[in-house]
Amino acid sequence: PDEEDLQLFLRYCVNANTTDLSQQKERQEYSECSLLIDDTKQLWNYLDGCRKGTQQSAICITDNCGPELYSDILLGLFLLRKCGYNEVRYQVKELPIFVSDTTMNDVKELFGCDLMKSVWQKCGVGTLEQDEQGVFFVNCGDQKRIVFENHREWHRRTIPS
């Protein structure tokens, strides 16, 4: 992989984030967003260092379902396939605050939808499974996997004092 590949995936994620479904009043057309600061080079250096070291897992804190969750999963596949990670863990919201917050039900829908099953299959991604501890995961071949777990701490609403 190279830095240009990473930049492509990051731009896709940033653009998908502009489609926050809870903030839209009407349907918007896709448009390329511009970045005030682009830290892709620093992220690439960090990922390159992890690949050469012992880093085996990446953690992604989800925000919105829909295009943003889909783009986050594609970025996770990039990390698994091209950057040497063995596992990407997605922390989803156990108790959503906004209508667009990603929950485990959204993950189940995304992997269970007939239309998306063929997309995941073409990407070499297995079906969503659940282990004995109740953790949801998807096998991605070569002992690599994506894990989805509820995590209260990352998604607490902060109350001003």
Side-chain angles (χ1 to χ4, degrees), residues 56-60 72 75-77 79-80 85-90 145-148:
Q56 299 292 311
S57 182
I59 298 174
C60 298
D72 289 345
L75 179 62
L77 286 171
L79 293 174
L80 290 173
Y85 286 87
N86 291 328
E87 182 177 84
V88 177
R89 302 184 81 81
Y90 289 91
R145 69 185 203 154
I146 296 175
V147 177
F148 298 92

Side-chain angles (χ1 to χ4, degrees), residues 7 33 43 51 60 67 69 90 92 106 116-117 156 159:
Q7 188 157 22
C33 65
L43 179 59
R51 185 171 53 248
C60 298
L69 177 60
Y90 289 91
V92 300
D106 297 317
M116 292 307 297
K117 283 180 184 177
R156 284 190 183 169
I159 301 171

Side-chain angles (χ1 to χ4, degrees), residues 58-66 68-70 72-73 88-111 128-130 134-138 146-157:
I59 298 174
C60 298
I61 302 166
T62 64
D63 187 20
N64 299 309
C65 62
E68 187 174 338
L69 177 60
Y70 178 72
D72 289 345
I73 293 171
V88 177
R89 302 184 81 81
Y90 289 91
Q91 315 265 309
V92 300
K93 294 183 181 177
E94 190 171 75
L95 302 169
I97 296 170
F98 299 104
V99 69
S100 64
D101 288 346
T102 299
T103 65
M104 198 60 75
N105 283 335
D106 297 317
V107 171
K108 291 175 188 175
E109 287 290 323
L110 186 62
F111 281 91
L128 187 66
E129 301 178 46
Q130 189 174 14
V135 175
F136 287 90
F137 66 94
V138 177
I146 296 175
V147 177
F148 298 92
E149 56 194 356
N150 287 318
H151 200 292
R152 289 184 185 178
E153 193 63 35
W154 294 119
H155 303 292
R156 284 190 183 169
R157 181 178 229 172

Side-chain angles (χ1 to χ4, degrees), residues 127-144:
T127 58
L128 187 66
E129 301 178 46
Q130 189 174 14
D131 67 14
E132 308 83 41
Q133 288 81 31
V135 175
F136 287 90
F137 66 94
V138 177
N139 286 317
C140 301
D142 296 329
Q143 298 183 349
K144 295 177 183 277

Side-chain angles (χ1 to χ4, degrees), residues 22-53:
S22 70
Q23 303 298 317
Q24 287 186 355
K25 294 184 174 124
E26 57 190 55
R27 188 167 186 258
Q28 298 174 343
E29 295 299 317
Y30 173 83
S31 63
E32 179 77 20
C33 65
S34 58
L35 302 175
L36 295 177
I37 299 173
D38 185 354
D39 289 330
T40 304
K41 187 165 209 52
Q42 291 88 336
L43 179 59
W44 176 254
N45 291 337
Y46 174 78
L47 292 174
D48 197 41
C50 291
R51 185 171 53 248
K52 293 173 183 169

